[in-house]
Amino acid sequence: MEPIRINDHNQYKITDSEVVKRILSGERELYEILIRRNNQKLFRVIRSYLKDDSEVEDIMQNTYLKAFEKLYQFKHTAQYSTWLIRIGINEVLARLREKERVVRFKSHGLHQIEKHTAELTDMDQANPEHSIIQREAQQLLENAIDSLSLKYRTVYMLREIEGMSVKEVAACLDMTSSNVKVRLHRAKLMLKERLYELTGSKEGVFGFGFHKCDRLTDGVMDHIFRLK
């Protein structure tokens, strides 16, 4: 079997299912591939429940560790990302129950938004005015999404921001495809049309890349290699 280096292009040629099989056969270092492939998607899902980035990352790490422990339970007929997201949702709900918190979301937007600015490499540096307008538009969209109630925000994040299919969203949230479509439609109605016009791209919304991705990935892999 051909060895795979994490920074090798070969890692993009094998499916999640094949990566899982090889991890279970002893190549646990390949788990890093699954982490990096799913970091953005998992972040956006958990971020739809919580606002605190540090708490979101903590739950993400717990999710990856629990998924690693239960990797033998993964059924290869399903998508790995869907299976992982279900674990992540269960983790965040358990955290909320444990703290006996009532999750309330306000419309005033994200806190400490400045720390995200450095991660937005797609801004047009040659046109500062355009960059400012683009960032302000993105903030408006993030604030508008934050103002949605949880049941609408989660569906919108998964379907529109992350680009998952209706069937995948339904599987992740344990609801029917019809309910997903209804909630998505209502979520779109709640978001002002001008926000879509102002925002040039949704890819940077609630981003989880660069040093965040590296930090979380390294943390999870360190835990895994300490396991006996």
Side-chain angles (χ1 to χ4, degrees):
M1 185 176 295
E2 182 183 2
I4 296 178
R5 296 186 296 273
I6 301 304
N7 294 323
D8 195 333
H9 289 299
N10 286 334
Q11 67 168 293
Y12 301 106
K13 298 179 181 180
I14 63 174
T15 64
D16 287 352
S17 181
E18 180 63 24
V19 174
V20 170
K21 291 177 182 178
R22 294 180 64 165
I23 292 171
L24 294 175
S25 296
E27 297 180 76
R28 60 169 57 186
E29 67 275 6
L30 297 187
Y31 194 59
E32 182 175 340
I33 294 177
L34 296 180
I35 297 174
R36 292 188 180 277
R37 283 181 179 178
N38 291 280
N39 263 343
Q40 180 68 83
K41 185 175 295 184
L42 186 62
F43 174 78
R44 283 171 171 162
V45 172
I46 298 177
R47 177 58 182 74
S48 68
Y49 287 84
L50 298 170
K51 279 190 174 183
D52 189 307
D53 280 1
S54 62
E55 188 171 15
V56 171
E57 290 184 36
D58 183 50
I59 293 176
M60 287 177 68
Q61 178 167 296
N62 291 343
T63 299
Y64 282 125
L65 291 174
K66 183 160 291 186
F68 182 80
E69 294 173 359
K70 296 183 177 182
L71 204 55
Y72 67 93
Q73 297 180 359
F74 172 65
K75 300 182 185 302
H76 294 271
T77 55
Q79 288 196 1
Y80 176 80
S81 59
T82 301
W83 182 76
L84 178 70
I85 288 173
R86 285 301 309 163
I87 294 176
I89 290 175
N90 288 336
E91 283 293 299
V92 72
L93 292 179
R95 174 72 63 88
L96 293 175
R97 287 194 296 268
E98 178 185 344
K99 298 174 71 171
E100 296 182 352
R101 287 173 51 183
V102 176
V103 181
R104 299 182 185 275
F105 294 88
K106 302 177 182 179
S107 60
H108 57 68
L110 298 174
H111 298 297
Q112 299 177 334
I113 197 68
E114 293 81 8
K115 64 182 178 180
H116 296 293
T117 304
E119 299 172 10
L120 299 176
T121 59
D122 59 343
M123 284 186 169
D124 184 3
Q125 299 297 330
N127 189 338
E129 182 178 357
H130 172 75
S131 298
I132 293 173
I133 293 174
Q134 184 183 43
R135 181 54 191 163
E136 288 179 346
Q138 184 168 300
Q139 288 184 37
L140 287 174
L141 179 58
E142 290 181 350
N143 294 346
I145 294 173
D146 263 341
S147 71
L148 297 174
S149 61
L150 178 60
K151 64 180 182 179
Y152 297 122
R153 182 172 58 255
T154 306
V155 168
Y156 184 85
M157 289 277 278
L158 290 175
R159 180 70 181 98
E160 293 297 311
I161 303 301
E162 192 52 43
M164 297 175 67
S165 68
V166 170
K167 184 178 180 180
E168 289 174 326
V169 176
C172 289
L173 301 180
D174 194 23
M175 64 174 62
T176 65
S177 295
S178 296
N179 283 339
V180 170
K181 292 177 182 179
V182 169
R183 291 188 183 185
L184 180 63
H185 177 67
R186 291 177 179 172
K188 288 181 177 180
L189 291 178
M190 294 175 191
L191 295 173
K192 296 181 180 180
E193 187 63 29
R194 66 183 182 88
L195 297 182
Y196 290 99
E197 296 173 355
L198 286 172
T199 306
S201 173
K202 295 179 287 187
E203 293 180 359
V205 175
F206 300 125
F208 191 80
F210 302 100
H211 70 277
K212 284 185 177 181
C213 180
D214 290 337
R215 183 178 65 250
L216 182 73
T217 300
D218 291 343
V220 173
M221 294 306 296
D222 285 343
H223 278 282
I224 288 174
F225 279 105
R226 285 201 297 268
L227 296 174
K228 295 182 179 179

